[in-house]
Amino acid sequence: MSGRKRIQIDESEWHRLQRKARQLQAVKRDIPRLVADVRKQTRADVDRAFATVQARQRRQDAAIDRLSDRTRQIEADTNRKLREQAQRLHQDLRETAGRIEENTRQRLDEQRREAERALAAERAERRAETARLAQEIDAFKADRARAEDTVRAWLADARTMADLIDGELPHDRYAPGRLDRLRRRIATADATAGEGRFDAALAVAQETFHELSDLRVDIEQREFERCLAQKEAVEALVQVEALAEDNRYRPVVGPDARPVPDCTLDVVHWSEGEFDQVLHETAEALSRARDPHTGVQDLRVLRDEEAPRLERGLGQAVERAGMRQLTSQMRVNLADVVAHTLAEVAYYDLVEEESGYADDDERGAFHARLRNAANGNEIRVEIVQEDKDSDQCVIRVESSDHDVTSEAELRNRADAVHRALRDQGVPLGLEPSEPTVIPGGAPIPDPGEPGSRAGRRGAGT
């Protein structure tokens, strides 16, 4: 006859292992090499972003050189201020690359406020310049030729500025439709000048030019803000990527909280795809962060929400990997206790070549086969989590006897196993259940044989 038993391992043992594995969730981060890697990658991204900024500013310098004498100096001064601001921001972002401290964010916030103050000062200067130039209109009424030349010069400057914005700056992202409206105003001023109404045309041309100039400065400031947000998003995600690579393998910590020599936790293997999923999502997030078309709000979401979520996911993957490795070893230890107990109380010997993990995968159930040399009777022990990452570990003991074994003897075996586990300090939950006796003495299938999965489902009653 055959007898099947199940003994549950209490969750207190599970919690002991959880406390041990939870230490792994605090992924290693205070490591000079890791910080250096983050700094190196972040600086490379910052340099690429500002290389684009510098190239754009050089092209704007060339366009500004085509302006009239009246506006060239004003715009050249503006471009110089923007270039100096970009250089300061570039230097600040390079210096803060790789820093994780709170004062880094405070310094970057101050840089952003400085940019806003510079924008306000620039606009105030332009408003004063517009008011001064508006006073020239009355003087032009008596000299139509001079008035027409002046209007045509302002219109040409306005078109140059509009073309500069259209060709160099992402105006559709930051001010959709505004450039088109200003181009229509240029066309209106041109038509008004064609009618000989130079005073009205000049007023519109001047106002339009200065609005275009303001639009250029505003877009540049918004782009600087985007560079700042991009740096922060990239740095946060590069940190997750670096943490992942640095935690791909972790030392195995023993009961004394010290690393076990020559033992390593392969997080990729034990996380069963979770670690790789974090890396995949991090790579996708980094691609979005590095995309020059990603807006400021999306970059801040990547920095403030996505990067912390991915780092938490990384910690959880590392923790679960450690937990699974620990419970795998626990299954072996429990099987060893059961085997030794059955050897003592019923003279069963372990058949080593027929014992091991199902499908040779240490992440799965552990099976041990024992045989009584005198009568050929066999016992198969299975140690398995009740469910994946469950807080219940289950021991199943299946007896396959060629002779008649009483229910009392089966019960005695289960009680002996229960006592042995308890004596080993393993907290136990339920008392052993009553054995289920199945007449016939069918042989116990090996883990890899057809029907073994069904046999496992039938066990544990």
Side-chain angles (χ1 to χ4, degrees), residues 87-229:
Q87 290 170 350
R88 289 196 305 272
L89 180 60
H90 184 190
Q91 185 63 30
D92 276 358
L93 295 186
R94 288 194 101 256
E95 289 178 357
T96 58
R99 295 184 188 172
I100 312 301
E101 300 88 352
E102 180 62 27
N103 63 1
T104 298
R105 178 65 55 78
Q106 294 172 356
R107 180 174 176 180
L108 295 176
D109 286 343
E110 176 57 33
Q111 175 65 50
R112 184 158 44 236
R113 288 192 292 271
E114 181 181 342
E116 291 170 354
R117 289 193 294 269
L119 174 60
E122 185 68 31
R123 284 179 168 167
E125 181 180 335
R126 290 182 177 284
R127 284 194 293 271
E129 181 67 14
T130 300
R132 185 185 68 79
L133 293 172
Q135 298 173 1
E136 299 180 8
I137 296 175
D138 291 338
F140 292 152
K141 291 180 180 178
D143 188 344
R144 291 181 60 82
R146 183 184 173 197
E148 182 174 3
D149 289 345
T150 302
V151 168
R152 296 302 176 192
W154 277 101
L155 287 173
D157 287 349
R159 291 189 186 97
T160 297
M161 186 63 69
D163 290 344
L164 184 157
I165 293 171
D166 200 17
E168 297 295 337
L169 298 171
H171 58 91
D172 285 338
R173 177 191 299 166
Y174 298 121
R178 188 173 171 186
L179 181 61
D180 290 338
R181 290 195 296 272
L182 292 172
R183 283 192 183 276
R184 288 194 292 271
R185 288 176 60 182
I186 294 172
T188 299
D190 192 22
T192 302
E195 297 170 357
R197 298 165 52 203
F198 299 122
D199 54 343
L202 181 60
V204 174
Q206 288 177 333
E207 182 183 357
T208 302
F209 175 83
H210 287 295
E211 286 195 28
L212 285 164
S213 184
D214 283 347
L215 176 60
R216 179 172 79 95
V217 172
D218 186 39
I219 293 173
E220 282 284 15
Q221 294 289 346
R222 300 285 292 276
E223 271 293 276
F224 291 162
E225 184 182 14
R226 199 197 71 82
C227 287
L228 174 59

Side-chain angles (χ1 to χ4, degrees), residues 95-364:
E95 289 178 357
T96 58
R99 295 184 188 172
I100 312 301
E101 300 88 352
E102 180 62 27
N103 63 1
T104 298
R105 178 65 55 78
Q106 294 172 356
R107 180 174 176 180
L108 295 176
D109 286 343
E110 176 57 33
Q111 175 65 50
R112 184 158 44 236
R113 288 192 292 271
E114 181 181 342
E116 291 170 354
R117 289 193 294 269
L119 174 60
E122 185 68 31
R123 284 179 168 167
E125 181 180 335
R126 290 182 177 284
R127 284 194 293 271
E129 181 67 14
T130 300
R132 185 185 68 79
L133 293 172
Q135 298 173 1
E136 299 180 8
I137 296 175
D138 291 338
F140 292 152
K141 291 180 180 178
D143 188 344
R144 291 181 60 82
R146 183 184 173 197
E148 182 174 3
D149 289 345
T150 302
V151 168
R152 296 302 176 192
W154 277 101
L155 287 173
D157 287 349
R159 291 189 186 97
T160 297
M161 186 63 69
D163 290 344
L164 184 157
I165 293 171
D166 200 17
E168 297 295 337
L169 298 171
H171 58 91
D172 285 338
R173 177 191 299 166
Y174 298 121
R178 188 173 171 186
L179 181 61
D180 290 338
R181 290 195 296 272
L182 292 172
R183 283 192 183 276
R184 288 194 292 271
R185 288 176 60 182
I186 294 172
T188 299
D190 192 22
T192 302
E195 297 170 357
R197 298 165 52 203
F198 299 122
D199 54 343
L202 181 60
V204 174
Q206 288 177 333
E207 182 183 357
T208 302
F209 175 83
H210 287 295
E211 286 195 28
L212 285 164
S213 184
D214 283 347
L215 176 60
R216 179 172 79 95
V217 172
D218 186 39
I219 293 173
E220 282 284 15
Q221 294 289 346
R222 300 285 292 276
E223 271 293 276
F224 291 162
E225 184 182 14
R226 199 197 71 82
C227 287
L228 174 59
Q230 183 179 49
K231 178 264 185 184
E232 294 179 328
V234 167
E235 182 173 71
L237 291 163
V238 165
Q239 176 179 294
V240 176
E241 191 175 62
L243 285 170
E245 291 302 327
D246 217 67
N247 286 272
R248 184 181 288 270
Y249 298 98
R250 295 291 303 267
V252 175
V253 179
D256 57 358
R258 295 182 180 180
V260 178
D262 302 322
C263 289
T264 302
L265 169 64
D266 184 342
V267 176
V268 176
H269 175 73
W270 287 98
S271 69
E272 301 183 48
E274 295 175 17
F275 181 89
D276 286 337
Q277 181 64 27
V278 171
L279 275 184
H280 176 71
E281 292 182 18
T282 303
E284 287 188 336
L286 261 174
S287 179
R288 296 199 304 275
R290 287 169 170 154
D291 187 340
H293 298 98
T294 302
V296 171
Q297 287 305 114
D298 289 338
L299 288 168
R300 288 175 179 167
V301 169
L302 289 171
R303 178 196 71 190
D304 297 334
E305 299 179 19
E306 191 68 2
R309 182 188 70 81
L310 289 167
E311 186 168 332
R312 287 193 300 272
L314 171 64
Q316 290 163 1
V318 173
E319 178 187 5
R320 281 193 285 267
M323 191 71 234
R324 289 164 188 163
Q325 187 187 53
L326 288 168
T327 54
S328 175
Q329 183 60 50
M330 185 179 75
R331 290 193 290 275
V332 177
N333 295 346
L334 293 176
D336 185 62
V337 172
V338 173
H340 277 83
T341 302
L342 293 174
E344 291 179 359
V345 302
Y347 307 106
Y348 280 79
D349 296 319
L350 180 68
V351 183
E352 293 188 8
E353 63 273 15
E354 297 183 36
S355 301
Y357 291 101
D359 301 320
D360 292 325
D361 187 344
E362 65 270 32
R363 295 169 296 186

Side-chain angles (χ1 to χ4, degrees), residues 4 380 382 396 398 445 450-460:
R4 294 181 180 144
R380 177 167 168 249
E382 181 183 53
R396 296 188 181 98
E398 300 181 5
S452 63
R453 187 174 299 275
R456 285 198 294 276
R457 284 201 299 267

